[in-house]
Amino acid sequence: MSSSPLSKKRRVSGSETKTGSNCSSALSVRTESAAPANGMARNGTESEIDEGLYSRQLYVLGHEAMKRMQSSDVLISGMRGLGVEIAKNVILGGVKSVTIHDQGVAQWVDLSSQFYLREEDLGKNRAEVSLPRLAELNTYVPVSAYMGQLTKDYLHQFQVVVLTASSLEEQLWIGEFCHCKGIKFICADSKGLFGQLFCDFGDDMVVTDANGEQPLSAMISMITKDNPGVVTCLDEARHGFESGDYVTFTEVQGMEELNHCEPMEIKVLGPYTFSICDTSAFSDYVRSGIVSQVKMPKKINFKSLKASVEEPTFVMTDFAKFDHPAQLHIGFQALHQFQRKYSRLPKPRSKNDADELLAIASALNAKASSSYKQEELKEDLLRTLAYCAVGDLAPMNAFIGGLAAQEVMKACTGKFMPIIQWLYFDAVECLPEGDAVLDLTETKCSPRNCRYDGQIAVFGLDLQEKLGRQKYFLVGAGAIGCELLKNFAMMGLACGEGGDITVTDMDTIEKSNLNRQFLFRPWDVTKMKSETAAAAVKLMNPSIHIIGHQNRVGPDTEKVYDDEFFEALDGVTNALDNVDARMYMDRRCVYYRKPLLESGTLGTKGNVQVVIPFLTESYSSSQDPPEKSIPICTLKNFPNAIEHTLQWARDEFEGLFKQPAENVNQYITDPKFMERTLKLPGSQPLEVLEALYRSLVTERPKSWEGCVFWARSHWQTQYSNNIRQLLHNFPPDQLTSSGAPFWSGPKRCPHALSFDVRNSLHLEYVAAAANLFAETYGISGSRDTAAIARILESVKVPEFIPKSGVKIHVSDQELQNASASIDDRRLEELKSLLPTVEMLSGFKMYPIDFEKDDDTNFHMDFIVAASNLRAENYDIPSADRHKSKLIAGKIIPAIATTTAAVVGLVCLELYKIVQQHKKIDSYKNGFMNLALPFFAFSEPIAAPKHKYYDEEWTLWDRFEVKGISPSGDEMTLRQFLDYFKKEHKLEITMLSQGVSMLYSFFMPAAKLKERLDQPMTEIVTKVSKKKIGKHVKALVFELCCNDDSDDDVEVPYVRYTIR
């Protein structure tokens, strides 16, 4: 659990503007800690970064980039839906300050996507109203509002200027000014189902890290003396380098000229080889060495907006629409001209206005430079642009706003590759399919003076009413969940009669959530996520029908999320952070035949998958390869990377502070514990009983001092004695049977450590280990390291002499082949030595569950110290607390920008689902990496087809069998088997329900005879030893069948209805 929420006070003040001629007021709101517990200074001063708040984002950007961001003042002009989305993401990101600018007042059309405007704000200045709501997002970022004219004097103070909803004339003069003054300039716009983004970061933008990936490293097996020299890496894994990468070397023996050399460019020759500089004059290579990638700064020159309009470069967002960017480049310019001529945008679905826009576009194309002049304009595309230009859609603003905010961060930090220089995006597939689009008329799309006018302009009133009636299940209320709910509220999903959203999440809000789960505030920390998120979106749109649950989805909650619940749904949206829950929800959606919207993020990467019944494959149809695990022997004896020592430290934590306490408690409370333990395979019974004996007898502390003694003794065992034993078995000069050095390649030769109470790392280990050990016994610990040091002075550590005959396995294969011989005599001895349950009456231990985000609980203190001490044993570079937490805590890096953009794409797919699009190519699965930037869209994969006889079927099909006859009698097993033979010409050879085998052709005759005339539900209850819940309407049976040729055939599952 993270530290307690910041107590807050608000300061709202009028401040003078820096403009001479414009005396319009500017407001600033800064939501502050009354007394920041961590003494954190405000952004813009030399200060530590609040890792508790920014931890997940820090794993995306890094400390250096965050510090650069904290010295950047950002102006965001235009507080309609797109502007507020960019502002929200930039404020969450943690820049020095944000100024929001708008001279316009809130109108009905704004409410379809501007989530910080409410109906009572109509007629008020958009920036002024948005200010206090944006300022609450991040206590460290002062936010101010400016309602005056933008002038050169005023713009001078900013490092980054973002324009939204501005005229081309304004964009051009501000773009030129910013280019000349070295101010980073971004222009973003959205028109209904179309989006535009432009970046100009000046003449000398330096990108320090183009992709944000961890630098690669590889172990070396050979380097030739040649021109150029060729480096061969160990064949354990491909090196992963690309030609043009820069590398440097360490730990090379022999050819030591390469160690710590200046970064040198490489040329890849193969998956394990690459060439470097001329090594012919270097010393001979002997052995070892590590090659590491070095990220080299890259300078990029940007053209100004004026120059770039004429000579555009495009980032492709959808390769299936490769010709759209140039067409839309003309289309957006035509819209600006239309607006200048008529002081308005084209009316929704107005044929006359669309004709006018086409005429303007044709004239522009005739004068266009050769770099983007089109042989033929795509009339349908430009008409669609005209038809929905007035539209203002929350999902489109979420996508473009997420991208634009990421570009702001790139501008501030030099981290990741910027968009060079234009990006256009459209989602015309969201419109009705085929001729149905003709039903959209001027009348149906005209404004109603309601909060959905911006959406009605694109889709008409009918879809709006349909959206209001939807019943949706949202699983998860974290970062993706918050963004989805905001979009749902703006779109009007479940905001009408009969509509409702159920959101479930069993987690409470933690401080680290606040950086990207934008519906939560510091005062919400410790509250339930689902309830808090539901209450927050009700403020955004009071019409939304939403209820928050705190249930984990899974078999345990199928009484809540039962047939009745799922059958009433129109669809499901996942906002989950683990694969198991995703796969479970996928199975439920397949069973109930409900559409599923699936998405996820990892740092700057994001993906969207849409699952449509009877049309696409499901989420579970394809899976990522399993994560590569670290071999046991590498962890135990031969680590060569910090990841190995951190995993070892996590295993230590579980093996010292969780498992022993759990085993002791089971020994005391569970009469069958001993019987169950003795049945465990291999040497496990002995290991468990030895650990029990240690916990209850030999290592059981009587006081705090005893815990310190134990920690010191354990330090000696792990970092000195065990290493000395390993070196006794395999001395530093040991050779293998082939004559090669044993300690070479991935095997690093260790050295034992000597305990020194003056060494802070040694003392930190003992303090953390002693406190955690004390906690498992319910003994009060101490943070007084000086007192701990005094206790350590009286500790006498017995002398250790390495033993002969100790077997240490060199590989996992050797470990598996070793037959575990059980010492029965020792087992019996331990059983007699263990205190009886009666002797332990009233005693219990307290197992500790690892929690990475609480800096006061000693968990990460132990992990960092344990890992870094082991790293010191093996001369592996240590890792700081921040990196250690990432690896040991298996943290998923996350940033608000990616989440916003991904959810924008999810909600564009939602429009299609609600309209019940039938064509698979109308839907889009998407993948993006905002760091590169890279986008890829593809139509979903169709559900694979199978066949038995002439019957085609997919995962969405099943046999429907009514188990209860009209007379009320239930089908017996015999009748069930006969039914399939008669109706489907299939002979069932095996029949199962879940993990229970109900029937098989090889079943003993007596058992078969008994079962054949029993009702199906009776057999299920008997075999599974579980009662069928009253909420269950149907059972699922899996079949193995033969056809009439006696061949095995694959068939769908059976839905056997019992109620």
Side-chain angles (χ1 to χ4, degrees):
M1 191 60 237
S2 61
S3 56
S4 60
L6 299 169
S7 57
K8 299 176 94 184
K9 65 181 180 183
R10 181 176 296 160
R11 184 172 78 232
V12 182
S13 64
S15 63
E16 288 182 12
T17 69
K18 293 193 180 180
T19 54
S21 55
N22 301 298
C23 299
S24 175
S25 66
L27 291 174
S28 69
V29 174
R30 188 201 238 159
T31 331
E32 296 189 344
S33 317
N38 58 3
M40 168 75 186
R42 293 291 147 205
N43 284 2
T45 59
E46 274 302 312
S47 60
E48 284 190 19
I49 294 161
D50 186 346
E51 290 189 3
L53 175 67
Y54 291 118
S55 88
R56 305 309 188 259
Q57 181 176 295
L58 276 164
Y59 293 122
V60 183
L61 297 177
H63 282 78
E64 281 309 307
M66 277 292 296
K67 282 176 184 166
R68 285 196 288 273
M69 217 153 70
Q70 288 183 348
S71 60
S72 299
D73 297 299
V74 180
L75 171 71
I76 300 166
S77 175
M79 278 297 109
R80 298 191 69 206
L82 180 56
V84 81
E85 180 68 46
I86 298 168
K88 177 257 289 179
N89 295 326
V90 170
I91 291 164
L92 288 171
V95 293
K96 181 181 177 184
S97 75
V98 169
T99 301
I100 56 173
H101 167 257
D102 202 319
Q103 292 186 290
V105 296
Q107 300 168 18
W108 280 114
V109 73
D110 298 324
L111 297 185
S112 61
S113 71
Q114 218 286 24
F115 46 87
Y116 285 148
L117 292 181
R118 296 165 192 169
E119 290 188 21
E120 60 266 29
D121 300 325
L122 293 171
K124 297 177 188 172
N125 180 280
R126 286 183 289 246
E128 195 175 342
V129 170
S130 305
L131 173 63
R133 291 157 197 171
L134 283 167
E136 286 179 352
L137 288 168
N138 191 339
T139 58
Y140 294 123
V141 180
V143 183
S144 54
Y146 174 60
M147 285 77 78
Q149 198 81 21
L150 292 180
T151 65
K152 292 178 179 179
D153 282 350
Y154 187 75
L155 294 170
H156 224 283
Q157 61 188 301
F158 300 103
Q159 281 73 53
V160 185
V161 169
V162 183
L163 297 186
T164 70
S166 61
S167 68
L168 184 58
E169 292 71 35
E170 184 176 57
Q171 292 170 15
L172 286 167
W173 83 254
I174 291 177
E176 280 302 300
F177 173 77
C178 290
H179 191 83
C180 294
K181 297 294 178 184
I183 299 168
K184 311 288 193 291
F185 174 70
I186 295 167
C187 183
D189 209 350
S190 72
K191 301 288 185 218
L193 289 167
F194 298 85
Q196 176 196 53
L197 190 54
F198 171 77
C199 296
D200 169 15
F201 297 165
D203 292 326
D204 52 1
M205 172 71 181
V206 176
V207 175
T208 54
D209 180 357
N211 61 14
E213 301 295 331
Q214 283 294 315
L216 300 168
S217 66
M219 284 180 275
I220 298 164
S221 63
M222 184 62 201
I223 306 173
T224 63
K225 284 179 74 169
D226 211 340
N227 185 15
V230 174
V231 179
T232 305
C233 298
L234 288 177
D235 58 8
E236 285 194 328
R238 293 163 179 260
H239 56 61
F241 298 129
E242 294 176 7
S243 292
D245 282 351
Y246 283 77
V247 299
T248 188
F249 296 83
T250 51
E251 300 183 23
V252 175
Q253 292 183 33
M255 200 179 281
E256 291 181 11
E257 293 91 338
L258 286 174
N259 286 334
H260 309 290
C261 62
E262 287 296 308
M264 59 176 70
E265 192 173 350
I266 65 167
K267 182 181 177 184
V268 170
L269 305 175
Y272 307 101
T273 56
F274 58 87
S275 62
I276 52 172
C277 60
D278 181 356
T279 57
S280 52
F282 291 180
S283 313
D284 288 344
Y285 174 79
V286 177
R287 74 169 74 94
S288 300
I290 294 170
V291 57
S292 303
Q293 184 185 30
V294 180
K295 298 283 182 91
M296 301 296 284
K298 188 174 181 181
K299 193 172 173 182
I300 304 169
N301 295 319
F302 286 78
K303 291 183 284 196
S304 70
L305 176 64
K306 190 176 179 182
S308 201
V309 164
E310 294 307 318
E311 300 285 332
T313 8
F314 302 116
V315 167
M316 195 62 65
T317 53
D318 189 341
F319 291 98
K321 301 175 178 178
F322 69 93
D323 54 347
H324 282 207
Q327 296 275 345
L328 293 175
H329 192 62
I330 294 165
F332 269 81
Q333 288 178 63
L335 277 178
H336 282 295
Q337 277 202 27
F338 186 102
Q339 193 163 12
R340 192 165 63 245
K341 187 173 178 182
Y342 296 103
S343 300
R344 64 172 175 83
L345 286 165
K347 289 177 189 169
R349 293 286 149 189
S350 165
K351 186 178 182 307
N352 291 342
D353 284 0
D355 288 344
E356 175 70 8
L357 187 85
L358 270 171
I360 296 170
S362 296
L364 283 168
N365 190 45
K367 293 187 288 185
S369 68
S370 57
S371 62
Y372 72 100
K373 188 170 187 167
Q374 299 298 294
E375 281 184 29
E376 192 180 343
L377 289 177
K378 291 177 81 90
E379 286 199 11
D380 284 351
L381 183 68
L382 295 179
R383 275 189 185 280
T384 306
L385 176 62
Y387 288 155
C388 66
V390 172
D392 193 21
L393 302 177
M396 183 57 70
N397 288 334
F399 179 69
I400 298 294
L403 269 57
Q406 189 68 61
E407 295 308 302
V408 171
M409 294 181 188
K410 293 175 187 178
C412 297
T413 63
K415 179 97 174 187
F416 310 138
M417 185 59 69
I419 285 171
I420 304 174
Q421 287 187 253
W422 291 97
L423 178 143
Y424 287 96
F425 176 75
D426 72 79
V428 290
E429 309 81 16
C430 293
L431 289 167
E433 288 179 317
D435 292 340
V437 76
L438 302 174
D439 293 340
L440 294 178
T441 60
E442 260 192 88
T443 310
K444 285 185 179 177
C445 298
S446 62
R448 269 44 181 188
N449 285 343
C450 77
R451 66 173 305 128
Y452 308 115
D453 277 357
Q455 192 162 265
I456 290 169
V458 178
F459 295 109
L461 191 60
D462 293 349
L463 178 61
Q464 195 56 56
E465 289 170 352
K466 201 170 182 183
L467 280 162
R469 295 192 295 269
Q470 296 293 297
K471 292 182 189 297
Y472 256 76
F473 187 26
L474 171 58
V475 190
I480 287 175
C482 284
E483 291 287 339
L484 280 164
L485 285 174
K486 173 255 288 179
N487 279 277
F488 290 171
M490 294 297 97
M491 293 163 72
L493 189 82
C495 294
E497 201 174 325
D500 66 65
I501 293 167
T502 304
V503 54
T504 189
D505 195 311
M506 67 281 181
D507 283 350
T508 55
I509 298 161
E510 300 181 3
K511 185 181 174 185
S512 65
N513 300 151
L514 304 179
N515 173 238
R516 65 205 180 283
Q517 299 176 18
F518 87 108
L519 296 180
F520 308 141
R521 301 289 172 268
W523 50 86
D524 294 323
V525 169
T526 72
K527 292 180 187 172
M528 298 307 301
K529 284 185 176 181
S530 57
E531 288 174 356
T532 310
V537 290
K538 260 196 168 300
L539 290 175
M540 291 178 176
N541 185 347
S543 303
I544 196 166
H545 301 123
I546 183 167
I547 182 167
H549 289 180
Q550 290 82 49
N551 302 316
R552 183 191 297 274
V553 290
D556 297 345
T557 53
E558 283 177 10
K559 288 178 187 166
V560 182
Y561 307 122
D562 56 9
D563 291 355
E564 202 173 311
F565 174 82
F566 268 96
E567 282 161 8
L569 292 176
D570 291 294
V572 175
T573 326
N574 277 351
L576 290 158
D577 60 359
N578 69 89
V579 171
D580 290 343
R582 283 182 165 110
M583 291 181 77
Y584 172 80
M585 284 311 299
D586 181 62
R587 289 195 299 274
R588 300 296 273 170
C589 288
V590 169
Y591 177 73
Y592 291 106
R593 295 163 166 173
K594 300 296 176 185
L596 171 66
L597 284 163
E598 170 58 57
S599 58
T601 69
L602 176 68
T604 56
K605 303 182 187 85
N607 72 285
V608 178
Q609 183 179 355
V610 57
V611 177
I612 306 295
F614 302 104
L615 200 61
T616 71
E617 66 173 15
S618 76
Y619 172 79
S620 308
S621 300
S622 55
Q623 287 180 38
D624 292 333
E627 278 186 36
K628 198 175 176 186
S629 58
I630 304 166
I632 295 168
C633 289
T634 299
L635 284 177
K636 285 184 79 169
N637 298 308
F638 307 113
N640 57 60
I642 199 69
E643 286 79 6
H644 302 161
T645 65
L646 280 162
Q647 184 58 54
W648 178 87
R650 277 290 281 114
D651 294 346
E652 273 275 281
F653 187 99
E654 298 292 311
L656 295 173
F657 312 123
K658 187 178 182 189
Q659 287 159 2
E662 285 178 344
N663 285 343
V664 164
N665 291 344
Q666 282 183 32
Y667 173 69
I668 294 168
T669 59
D670 183 354
K672 293 194 171 174
F673 173 76
M674 187 62 77
E675 181 190 325
R676 215 171 47 244
T677 300
L678 294 173
K679 287 180 182 171
L680 291 170
S683 59
Q684 286 182 52
L686 190 58
E687 287 168 11
V688 171
L689 294 194
E690 289 281 16
L692 263 182
Y693 185 61
R694 284 197 300 273
S695 296
L696 290 170
V697 183
T698 56
E699 292 181 358
R700 181 175 169 182
K702 294 188 171 55
S703 64
W704 163 240
E705 286 74 16
C707 298
V708 176
F709 277 45
W710 171 87
R712 172 66 184 89
S713 169
H714 195 71
W715 187 103
Q716 193 68 22
T717 301
Q718 296 293 41
Y719 303 111
S720 180
N721 300 354
N722 287 353
I723 300 296
R724 288 170 64 193
Q725 180 67 54
L726 181 63
L727 291 171
H728 176 77
N729 282 40
F730 306 109
D733 55 359
Q734 173 103 0
L735 299 177
T736 65
S737 54
S738 63
F742 176 84
W743 294 107
S744 63
K747 290 189 176 71
R748 300 173 72 88
C749 185
H751 64 277
L753 304 183
S754 298
F755 187 82
D756 183 352
V757 75
R758 293 162 302 180
N759 184 314
S760 60
L761 187 60
H762 297 192
L763 193 55
E764 281 163 19
Y765 176 89
V766 170
N771 272 284
L772 290 166
F773 193 64
E775 190 182 329
T776 63
Y777 285 94
I779 295 169
S780 295
S782 168
R783 293 180 176 277
D784 187 343
T785 49
I788 293 170
R790 286 194 295 276
I791 297 170
L792 287 171
E793 286 170 11
S794 60
V795 177
K796 296 280 186 288
V797 178
E799 189 185 345
F800 175 77
I801 298 164
K803 300 181 182 72
S804 296
V806 174
K807 178 67 179 168
I808 295 175
H809 298 293
V810 174
S811 70
D812 282 13
Q813 190 63 50
E814 190 183 298
L815 181 65
Q816 285 168 2
N817 294 341
S819 54
S821 56
I822 295 290
D823 186 344
D824 289 327
R825 202 161 45 82
R826 177 60 179 161
L827 260 182
E828 290 305 315
E829 184 186 5
L830 283 168
K831 279 164 69 179
S832 65
L833 287 172
L834 282 170
T836 62
V837 173
E838 292 72 33
M839 290 164 69
L840 295 167
S841 176
F843 174 76
K844 75 172 206 173
M845 287 186 70
Y846 303 89
I848 301 174
D849 288 312
F850 179 65
E851 170 49 63
K852 61 190 174 293
D853 282 322
D854 179 356
D855 287 337
T856 65
N857 63 9
F858 290 105
H859 297 197
M860 278 310 302
D861 298 322
F862 175 82
I863 297 292
V864 174
S867 168
N868 284 341
L869 284 164
R870 189 161 175 83
E872 191 180 335
N873 278 139
Y874 287 86
D875 293 308
I876 296 166
S878 63
D880 62 15
R881 188 185 188 90
H882 181 66
K883 184 177 179 181
S884 299
K885 190 190 278 194
L886 171 72
I887 298 166
K890 294 183 166 60
I891 287 175
I892 297 170
I895 191 165
T897 47
T898 315
T899 310
V902 160
V903 169
L905 295 178
V906 170
C907 292
L908 289 172
E909 296 307 305
L910 180 59
Y911 284 132
K912 302 169 189 177
I913 289 172
V914 175
Q915 293 173 87
Q916 297 178 323
H917 280 15
K918 298 286 188 285
K919 296 176 187 168
I920 198 166
D921 61 2
S922 293
Y923 295 96
K924 295 269 186 187
N925 285 348
F927 172 80
M928 67 176 93
N929 185 344
L930 301 189
L932 297 177
F934 173 79
F935 306 89
F937 293 94
S938 60
E939 72 177 51
I941 296 169
K945 290 182 177 173
H946 311 275
K947 209 170 183 181
Y948 68 93
Y949 298 125
D950 291 328
E951 291 287 329
E952 261 193 352
W953 63 277
T954 72
L955 65 108
W956 298 101
D957 294 299
R958 60 192 178 210
F959 294 113
E960 295 280 1
V961 178
K962 287 185 177 164
I964 312 293
S965 68
S967 63
D969 295 332
E970 194 196 339
M971 202 180 255
T972 63
L973 175 59
R974 189 192 303 276
Q975 289 168 329
F976 187 87
L977 298 174
D978 289 347
Y979 169 84
F980 272 86
K981 199 145 197 172
K982 184 180 168 189
E983 294 294 321
H984 302 288
K985 295 192 287 183
L986 292 169
E987 184 182 347
I988 295 175
T989 54
M990 279 193 280
L991 170 67
S992 61
Q993 191 258 339
V995 293
S996 305
M997 180 66 74
L998 309 181
Y999 164 79
S1000 66
F1001 68 91
F1002 50 78
M1003 193 175 266
K1007 190 183 276 189
L1008 177 59
K1009 188 180 178 188
E1010 180 193 339
R1011 281 193 192 170
L1012 276 173
D1013 295 312
Q1014 288 178 341
M1016 295 295 286
T1017 53
E1018 197 178 304
I1019 299 171
V1020 168
T1021 308
K1022 203 170 181 180
V1023 177
S1024 68
K1025 299 186 174 68
K1026 288 178 191 167
K1027 285 184 181 177
I1028 297 167
K1030 288 178 182 170
H1031 62 282
V1032 177
K1033 287 186 182 177
L1035 299 172
V1036 171
F1037 296 143
E1038 302 282 349
L1039 308 176
C1040 289
C1041 294
N1042 287 347
D1043 60 14
D1044 50 15
S1045 309
D1046 219 25
D1047 292 327
D1048 279 348
V1049 284
E1050 201 176 342
V1051 295
Y1053 69 93
V1054 178
R1055 184 173 183 263
Y1056 179 80
T1057 312
I1058 56 173
R1059 288 189 178 91

